[in-house]
Amino acid sequence: MTISIDHLIWMYETMYKIRYYEDKMAEAYAEGKNPVFNIGAGPVPGEMHLATGQEPAAVGICVHLKKEDTVTSPHRPHHHAIAKGVNLNRMTAEIFGKVTGLGKGKGGHMHLFDPDVKFSCGGIVGAGIPHALGAALAAKKKGTDWVAVAFIGEGAANQGAFHESLNMAALWNLPLIVVIENNQYGISVPKSASTSVPSNDIRAVAYGIKGYYVKDNDPIEMYNVSKEAVERARKGEGPSIIEIETYRYLGHFQGDPEVYRDKNEVALLREKDPIVRMRQFLMKEHGIEEQRLIELENKARQEVEAAYQFARESDYPEPEDALKDLFV
């Protein structure tokens, strides 16, 4: 499948931006939490789940989406949010708990909502799938060609919401795509110990829908299968499952001792880093000069640095703001 240079450049720049953003977040999160880890200390208290290494899953499909398409994300959401175009300043401010954040500083990193680009996330495993299903139903009832994408981890594919939503999506022929990021571990449990099938794409046959599998965290293959899935959904050909074999370089959460995996595992994974591979692919296969990539990297870093500065300089909410924007 031929991929336009514009799409390739966007994918590389966005993957680089995501990586730099997550690296900066790891640094910010660690502030005040050493030498003894204190989850409530520092400028970013609470849990933190980073997606370093999982960038291809986000960019490979979001490159095919438009503003009107819906994306739902789980507790590890930053790469999806950035790829969908969530406002980086307001997203970062939200994570820092500032009043300029997407949720006025009340939601934090697992509760990012940006209606301008139809993005949301939540910390309950599998909970975003029914939300995306509802968006897909709305898109069909409105007679649009919009699609809905639900990102989940491989552990969430064993939740009831996964099966119930896909059954309904298939029954009503809805434009829903469930992207399963198989990063090999559900918290600390390896997939082989929790899931009865080798890959979740084969579960698609149970619902009479299309299933795809992307090996080895490959952004180009993710682009290709996502293109087909999105085009099918827009044409009214129904839902799909995409499982991508991906890898997280960090723990399930920041502070995770990671005693469940071999001490050499991450080093071996980094040897086939998807951003390095993509950079080499652009230069060798498409003749893109390194200077152009350096300029893109500089642009991405500047955008991220500006977002962190915005967040740090923004004000915290006033105490009385805790009683505002409530349903009851």
Side-chain angles (χ1 to χ4, degrees), residues 35 38 49 83 89 113 119 123 130 156 169 179 185 187 197 201 207 221 229 231-232 242 244 246 251 258 263 302:
N38 179 352
H49 310 84
N89 285 3
F113 299 91
F119 176 87
V179 176
Y185 296 100
I187 306 179
V197 291
D201 60 295
Y207 311 106
E221 183 61 16
E231 287 178 350
R232 289 184 67 257
I242 302 172
I244 176 170
T246 191
E258 300 183 70
K263 62 182 181 179
Q302 289 170 6

Side-chain angles (χ1 to χ4, degrees), residues 56-57 60-61 179 214 218-226 242 244:
I61 189 164
V179 176
V214 178
D218 184 349
I220 301 302
E221 183 61 16
M222 185 64 185
Y223 176 98
N224 290 336
V225 303
S226 296
I242 302 172
I244 176 170

Side-chain angles (χ1 to χ4, degrees), residues 21-321:
Y21 187 90
E22 297 287 66
D23 288 347
K24 289 284 292 184
M25 185 56 70
E27 294 175 4
Y29 183 76
E31 292 177 23
K33 293 183 174 67
N34 294 312
V36 178
F37 182 75
N38 179 352
I39 197 170
V44 186
E47 283 196 304
M48 178 59 62
H49 310 84
L50 301 179
T52 309
Q54 298 184 204
E55 299 87 359
V59 302
I61 189 164
C62 285
V63 68
H64 301 295
L65 302 182
K66 52 190 179 180
K67 186 176 181 180
E68 295 82 7
D69 297 324
T70 294
V71 166
T72 66
S73 178
H75 57 278
R76 198 180 311 280
H78 302 163
H79 54 322
H80 309 139
I82 293 172
K84 187 59 169 72
V86 170
N87 184 289
L88 204 59
N89 285 3
R90 297 184 63 209
M91 168 177 152
T92 311
E94 182 62 32
I95 295 169
F96 275 74
K98 300 299 185 70
V99 73
T100 53
L102 292 166
K104 301 180 183 179
K106 298 179 180 180
H109 110 99
M110 286 189 282
H111 305 96
L112 304 170
F113 299 91
D114 190 347
D116 290 341
V117 295
K118 299 177 76 171
F119 176 87
S120 65
C121 66
I124 304 302
V125 174
I129 315 171
H131 300 162
L133 175 72
L137 176 60
K140 183 172 182 177
K141 283 187 170 293
K142 289 182 176 181
T144 71
D145 68 347
W146 304 343
V147 304
V149 177
F151 286 98
I152 63 171
E154 83 286 344
N158 295 325
Q159 292 283 338
F162 173 84
H163 302 282
E164 293 165 10
S165 297
L166 283 170
N167 180 66
M168 186 173 289
L171 185 65
W172 292 348
N173 198 42
L174 301 180
L176 174 69
I177 302 168
V178 178
V179 176
I180 303 166
E181 293 180 83
N182 174 17
N183 65 16
Q184 320 306 313
Y185 296 100
I187 306 179
S188 60
V189 179
K191 181 181 175 182
S192 60
S194 66
T195 303
S196 62
V197 291
S199 61
N200 287 292
D201 60 295
I202 66 176
R203 286 174 158 167
V205 70
Y207 311 106
I209 64 176
K210 191 79 172 179
Y212 305 87
Y213 186 75
V214 178
K215 295 181 180 179
D216 201 25
N217 213 18
D218 184 349
I220 301 302
E221 183 61 16
M222 185 64 185
Y223 176 98
N224 290 336
V225 303
S226 296
K227 185 175 189 294
E228 181 176 321
V230 171
E231 287 178 350
R232 289 184 67 257
R234 293 203 195 283
K235 291 187 291 186
E237 295 178 8
S240 303
I241 297 172
I242 302 172
E243 177 161 303
I244 176 170
E245 178 189 16
T246 191
Y247 313 106
R248 59 169 166 84
Y249 296 160
L250 305 176
H252 169 68
F253 59 91
Q254 294 303 96
D256 181 357
E258 300 183 70
V259 295
Y260 49 87
R261 60 181 181 181
D262 187 273
K263 62 182 181 179
N264 298 317
E265 179 179 309
V266 174
L268 293 173
L269 292 175
R270 285 186 181 272
E271 290 179 0
K272 52 181 182 179
D273 187 271
I275 298 177
V276 174
R277 287 158 52 193
M278 188 70 166
R279 198 177 199 273
Q280 294 170 343
F281 174 76
L282 290 173
M283 290 192 294
K284 292 180 179 179
E285 301 297 326
H286 291 274
I288 296 176
E289 295 182 358
E290 185 174 25
Q291 183 57 39
R292 184 178 180 189
L293 298 179
I294 291 173
E295 291 171 358
L296 292 171
E297 292 161 2
N298 289 338
K299 177 187 171 188
R301 286 198 299 270
Q302 289 170 6
E303 186 177 347
V304 170
E305 292 286 355
Y308 277 86
Q309 182 177 353
F310 175 83
R312 289 184 184 274
E313 293 178 353
S314 293
D315 294 328
Y316 286 103
E318 297 295 333
E320 57 267 25
D321 290 345

